[in-house]
Amino acid sequence: MDKVVNGFLERNLSDFKNDFIIELKKADKDYYRIKSHGGKIYITANNYVSAFHGIYCYLKKFCNVQLSWCGNQQIHIDSLVMFDGEFSKTIEQKYRVYMNYCTLDYSMCWWDFERWEKEIDFMAMNGINMPLAVVGTEAVWYETLLEFGFTKKEALNSVSGPAFWAWQLMTNIEGYLPPENEKYVYERLELGRKILNRYIEFGMFPIQQGFSGHVPVLLKKKYPKAKILMQRGWCRYPRTAQLDPLDNLFFTFGTVYLNKMNALFGNHHFIACDPFHEGTPPKLSKEYLNQVGQAINRLYESFDKNSTWVMQAWTMREHIVKAVPKERLLILDLNSEKTPQNNNCWGYPVVAGMLHDFGGKNAMQGKLEKHSKNSYMKLKQNGANVVGSGMFMEGIEQNPVVYDLQFEMLTAETSINLDKWLDNYILRRYGKYDETLRKAWDILLKTCYRSDGYEENEVGSALVSRPQLIPKKAGPCCINKLHYEPKEFEKAVELFLSVSDDFKNSDGYQYDLCDLTRQAMSNRFYDEQFRFAAVYKKKDIKTAEKIAKNQLELLLDIDELLSHRSELCFSRWINDAHNLATDENEKRYFDMHARTLLTSWGDINGNTSQLYDYAWREWSGLIKEYYYKRWQMFYEKALHCLKNKKPLFIINGNGGVGRYYYKVYPFGKELNKFELGWLKEYKEYPKPSTTDVIPKAKEYAEKWEFINE
């Protein structure tokens, strides 16, 4: 059997690896054709990705398989189902793109190759053929800087650490919490090579990292005659440097960088570059921007005449785009909204994308009805030169229903009937269809998964917010206001629990029950905090004490509930970071990064940051160790002030900038001291386990009155 096919089947369907017969035949479009006979499944496809996608589509349709990051993490079937006739698909979308730069850090920065291997298989099963391939590029930068007169220490100090490298690639920061030695750089290189080699083995089209002019500030001193411009600091981080693409050093530096990338990884023709991403060009004239586009295209064409410049539509500029021949540029419209806003991107090839979930937060949210529409076909019908579809979420491993639907949209020919799709999803997710669960899902469609009344990427959480009487925001773009009635949502929890005896052996059910109960409890915390604020203003000490006690108890109950699902445990995140390390020093370094990204977002030294709590997680361990402690401090302070008739001075600043003012008053400084101490609180954690969540879910549903007697 073919080595690639055998490896894929061994990893995913080892009991049936001899029962899938795959034949590859070239074709103009990606396709698969599947037949069954004599207990075997026969697949004809034009490449490996099409074949593996065909296998998964077969498993979904005939064996009711649902594969997910959140429960149902492995394929479990008893037999292969035979069927009459032929099951086939021709895929309209040439490119199916996967990953946002942010995904690499908010969800993937602690993955070893074994975990990446699972994800790459999962990509192929869902038809993805164009993944972002930038892991290990630290080595490209490191070795390039050595060529330009940097010492090893200087070059290392210009490389951001594992939890922040994505934002350096996006030109936002430079050298943030850098590694101490080059060993780390080459460990990342080794992992990146393994990932890229698997992409190539599968026949994918990896997107590699190009050069847009973002350089270390130190280069300005080493090349004082070069036109190196200082960019404003992003989100209050230190200012960064931009080498003007029209300066001669740009072509020289970029050529060394690209040749170094080729030497370390090989060249695979799709090169990402977003000039002035979330920054400001030194000139805004049409002529200047056009020359920038020409200069970058000239660099890439000189390096590889068959290269394609891949650009995000997020901050694209018309005159840069129009400077590039259409056949040499591919535009990624991350949320499918920039294309219609910009004259269908002026006829350039476009990928229609979905952008869900800023920061990898795990609130239950997502506009399912909106996602069931086919953005690819819609843009095409409106005249856009759309050549593919993509998923550009900032984080994964949350809201499994949103992603199961969106993975189908990547290769769908039409919109999807959401009602019919949900019936099938229930069957696949839980192992059998159930009317009660369907009623619960109807409630979810009208509450957390509705398609109106909120911004999909701005759903917040009161319990993870820095404490205030009424915390209006968690992260800088996380609005805590509920966009549905929590009592209505609680009915879904009750319905789920009512069929627990029938689904106790369903992993998908167990995860969803845990997540539903968590969300209901989180909603309750939000509601009760309003009550606390109201009685506090009335100076009702007794009631305020009671609510505060209940709020803290609620937080500990949520933490205990989530401990039954390893996917929802902070210890999993920390253990993955520790396990990726190769020595004790690196383990401590990774530990600090892992804590920092999810909480203070890089504010390790107590300097001002706009991004704290941007990537919050309602996870077991993180609640008990961090969010609970902050609220405990708040209630103690608030009740002390109330009893002693002192003013509670907490500035209610909630904007992207305004939130930072908490450090200028005494209680804010106390919070900051605790947070900084926790970031440096290195320790080992036991490995989390997944156990039966039903007893705890029932206990807490009754305790917090989600069940109507």
Side-chain angles (χ1 to χ4, degrees):
M1 183 185 289
D2 182 299
K3 176 182 145 186
V4 176
V5 171
N6 186 62
F8 173 84
L9 293 174
E10 183 65 49
R11 290 188 298 273
N12 297 284
L13 290 153
S14 58
D15 291 343
F16 302 93
K17 65 181 180 181
N18 296 319
D19 298 324
F20 288 91
I21 313 300
I22 295 176
E23 181 182 9
L24 300 183
K25 291 184 178 181
K26 290 184 178 181
D28 293 334
K29 286 187 176 182
D30 289 350
Y31 79 95
Y32 63 76
R33 294 196 298 270
I34 304 177
K35 295 182 178 181
S36 65
H37 176 70
K40 295 186 183 296
I41 303 298
Y42 296 85
I43 300 140
T44 304
N46 67 308
N47 56 39
Y48 290 124
V49 171
S50 297
F52 300 157
H53 180 49
I55 289 174
Y56 187 46
C57 289
Y58 157 80
L59 291 170
K60 288 165 69 176
K61 182 176 179 64
F62 296 102
C63 303
N64 299 323
V65 166
Q66 196 266 340
L67 197 58
S68 170
W69 308 298
C70 309
N72 297 345
Q73 293 179 3
Q74 293 180 314
I75 297 172
H76 295 291
I77 56 173
D78 296 323
S79 62
L80 296 176
V81 176
M82 299 293 103
F83 62 95
D84 295 329
E86 183 178 88
F87 174 53
S88 65
K89 179 195 284 188
T90 298
I91 302 173
E92 175 71 23
Q93 298 89 333
K94 182 177 181 181
Y95 301 122
R96 286 85 64 188
V97 189
Y98 188 57
M99 282 184 282
N100 184 317
Y101 285 94
C102 302
T103 326
L104 293 160
D105 279 342
Y106 284 137
S107 296
M108 301 169 170
C109 59
W110 311 124
W111 288 5
D112 57 14
F113 184 64
E114 182 181 359
R115 178 61 185 88
W116 269 105
E117 200 169 40
K118 291 179 181 178
E119 193 70 15
I120 297 169
D121 285 348
F122 191 49
M123 292 180 203
M125 282 189 262
N126 285 290
I128 291 160
N129 65 359
M130 185 174 268
L132 192 60
V134 297
V135 175
T137 46
E138 294 93 336
V140 182
W141 271 102
Y142 177 69
E143 294 196 1
T144 298
L145 294 177
L146 295 180
E147 295 279 337
F148 284 86
F150 281 62
T151 66
K152 287 187 175 183
K153 185 63 175 175
E154 289 171 340
L156 277 175
N157 285 340
S158 300
V159 172
S160 293
F164 301 96
W165 182 239
W167 289 274
Q168 181 151 338
L169 295 177
M170 288 187 282
T171 75
N172 294 332
I173 59 176
E174 177 215 325
Y176 200 78
L177 301 179
E180 292 184 358
N181 57 66
E182 66 179 16
K183 178 174 72 73
Y184 165 78
V185 168
Y186 290 105
E187 288 167 0
R188 298 301 292 172
L189 173 63
E190 181 183 3
L191 176 61
R193 280 173 168 167
K194 289 179 180 178
I195 294 166
L196 184 59
N197 288 341
R198 181 58 55 83
Y199 289 159
I200 298 304
E201 189 178 74
F202 275 22
M204 294 176 171
F205 307 104
I207 299 173
Q208 295 177 275
Q209 184 62 32
F211 176 68
S212 67
H214 181 62
V215 292
V217 172
L218 185 58
L219 193 70
K220 192 176 178 68
K221 289 186 178 180
K222 294 185 180 291
Y223 290 82
K225 294 182 179 180
K227 195 171 184 181
I228 298 175
L229 313 163
M230 294 304 295
Q231 294 284 305
R232 59 182 174 80
W234 174 78
C235 293
R236 297 195 177 272
Y237 283 86
R239 298 177 72 188
T240 55
Q242 169 72 36
L243 174 57
D244 192 330
L246 305 192
D247 190 278
N248 290 334
L249 183 60
F250 177 87
F251 188 88
T252 303
F253 192 100
T255 299
V256 172
Y257 171 88
L258 292 171
N259 286 332
K260 191 67 66 174
M261 180 186 74
N262 185 30
L264 295 175
F265 287 104
N267 165 40
H268 302 288
H269 310 300
F270 290 92
I271 306 174
C273 169
D274 297 295
F276 314 114
H277 175 73
E278 296 187 359
T280 305
K283 301 176 185 177
L284 294 174
S285 69
K286 172 182 176 180
E287 291 75 18
Y288 175 77
L289 294 177
N290 189 268
Q291 289 174 335
V292 167
Q294 290 181 43
I296 295 174
N297 180 60
R298 185 164 58 249
L299 170 66
Y300 290 169
E301 192 169 26
S302 173
F303 167 66
D304 172 14
K305 61 182 176 59
N306 296 316
S307 63
T308 296
W309 175 357
V310 181
M311 179 191 295
Q312 296 181 81
W314 199 249
T315 55
M316 70 178 175
R317 292 170 172 85
E318 177 180 356
H319 301 302
I320 292 179
V321 170
K322 287 184 174 179
V324 186
K326 285 187 171 68
E327 68 275 10
R328 292 193 47 76
L329 187 65
L330 177 64
I331 296 174
L332 308 180
D333 190 350
L334 303 191
N335 58 5
S336 294
E337 294 178 4
K338 299 294 184 181
T339 302
Q341 293 170 4
N342 291 277
N343 296 319
N344 283 334
C345 290
W346 314 285
Y348 282 80
V350 169
V351 168
M354 181 277 281
L355 175 57
H356 174 267
D357 193 72
F358 288 165
K361 305 176 292 287
N362 65 317
M364 289 183 68
Q365 59 91 20
K367 298 184 175 183
L368 286 184
E369 185 64 44
K370 176 184 176 182
H371 288 305
S372 70
K373 309 303 181 187
N374 195 317
S375 297
Y376 170 88
M377 297 306 295
K378 183 178 179 180
L379 292 183
K380 188 173 184 179
Q381 289 165 2
N382 289 336
N385 181 17
V386 58
V387 295
S389 53
M391 291 174 64
F392 302 106
M393 58 279 135
E394 286 197 0
I396 60 172
E397 298 178 326
Q398 35 74 29
N399 288 289
V401 66
V402 174
Y403 293 93
D404 198 275
L405 175 62
Q406 195 60 37
F407 278 129
E408 287 203 18
M409 298 307 306
L410 287 177
T411 59
E413 294 181 2
T414 63
S415 296
I416 288 176
N417 183 306
L418 189 58
D419 281 337
K420 291 182 179 178
W421 183 88
L422 262 178
D423 284 344
N424 180 254
Y425 179 77
I426 290 168
L427 170 64
R428 293 185 296 110
R429 179 75 175 159
Y430 308 128
K432 61 182 177 180
Y433 182 79
D434 183 88
E435 287 289 350
T436 300
L437 290 179
R438 177 62 216 233
K439 289 178 182 177
W441 271 101
D442 286 340
I443 292 172
L444 298 180
L445 278 178
K446 296 173 183 176
T447 53
C448 64
Y449 291 123
R450 64 192 292 182
S451 287
D452 62 350
Y454 70 106
E455 289 296 327
E456 188 170 33
N457 295 314
E458 295 184 0
V459 176
S461 163
L463 77 84
V464 306
S465 303
R466 184 166 278 128
Q468 297 175 8
L469 277 174
I470 300 177
K472 296 180 180 179
K473 282 193 172 185
C477 54
C478 292
I479 299 169
N480 292 339
K481 183 179 179 180
L482 290 176
H483 57 277
Y484 55 85
E485 287 295 326
K487 289 294 183 184
E488 188 67 18
F489 181 89
E490 289 166 13
K491 293 177 184 177
V493 180
E494 183 176 12
L495 287 169
F496 255 74
L497 280 168
S498 71
V499 295
S500 61
D501 288 345
D502 295 330
F503 291 93
K504 59 186 176 182
N505 295 321
S506 166
D507 195 41
Y509 170 85
Q510 289 262 354
Y511 177 91
D512 287 357
L513 174 63
C514 186
D515 207 26
L516 276 162
T517 310
R518 173 203 59 76
Q519 187 65 59
M521 295 169 81
S522 180
N523 294 347
R524 180 63 58 83
F525 185 90
Y526 170 82
D527 277 347
E528 289 299 297
Q529 190 56 31
F530 272 90
R531 284 191 61 224
F532 179 85
V535 301
Y536 191 92
K537 290 175 182 177
K538 292 178 181 178
K539 298 181 172 54
D540 183 346
I541 297 175
K542 185 176 180 180
T543 306
E545 285 182 319
K546 181 179 179 182
I547 295 174
K549 178 177 179 294
N550 286 343
Q551 288 286 75
L552 293 174
E553 192 173 324
L554 177 59
L555 290 177
L556 293 179
D557 285 352
I558 299 173
D559 193 272
E560 172 61 26
L561 172 77
L562 298 178
S563 71
H564 292 268
R565 293 298 311 189
S566 61
E567 306 100 317
L568 297 169
C569 289
F570 177 64
S571 56
R572 175 182 66 94
W573 174 259
I574 287 289
N575 286 337
D576 285 349
H578 289 183
N579 292 337
L580 192 65
T582 56
D583 59 42
E584 186 64 25
N585 287 337
E586 195 168 65
K587 189 183 288 189
R588 290 177 177 272
Y589 175 59
F590 287 179
D591 185 283
M592 180 264 290
H593 269 258
R595 291 168 179 267
T596 302
L597 182 65
L598 303 188
T599 54
S600 67
W601 213 105
D603 205 6
I604 189 69
N605 296 315
N607 299 320
T608 297
S609 165
Q610 291 183 18
L611 295 174
Y612 60 81
D613 295 326
Y614 180 92
W616 57 262
R617 304 287 195 273
E618 290 189 1
W619 278 355
S620 178
L622 193 56
I623 294 175
K624 187 175 183 178
E625 290 186 13
Y626 192 77
Y627 303 130
Y628 172 87
K629 293 290 180 63
R630 293 202 307 195
W631 280 106
Q632 185 180 45
M633 291 171 66
F634 168 82
Y635 290 128
E636 287 176 358
K637 180 71 173 180
L639 293 172
H640 172 80
C641 290
L642 188 60
K643 292 174 183 178
N644 292 279
K645 298 181 180 180
K646 294 182 178 180
L648 178 62
F649 185 62
I650 295 181
I651 295 173
N652 196 25
N654 288 289
V657 176
R659 297 182 315 135
Y660 82 90
Y661 284 118
Y662 83 104
K663 293 177 186 173
V664 302
Y665 58 93
F667 179 65
K669 291 178 180 177
E670 290 176 33
L671 277 177
N672 186 230
K673 182 179 179 181
F674 159 72
E675 291 167 354
L676 293 177
W678 184 83
L679 294 180
K680 299 166 185 175
E681 192 183 295
Y682 171 80
K683 66 178 181 180
E684 300 286 346
Y685 287 83
K687 183 178 179 180
S689 59
T690 292
T691 56
D692 185 4
V693 76
I694 293 172
K696 277 296 174 186
K698 282 184 176 179
E699 177 187 338
Y700 293 146
E702 291 171 359
K703 177 178 179 178
W704 299 104
E705 300 179 343
F706 302 149
I707 296 177
N708 295 314
E709 296 297 338

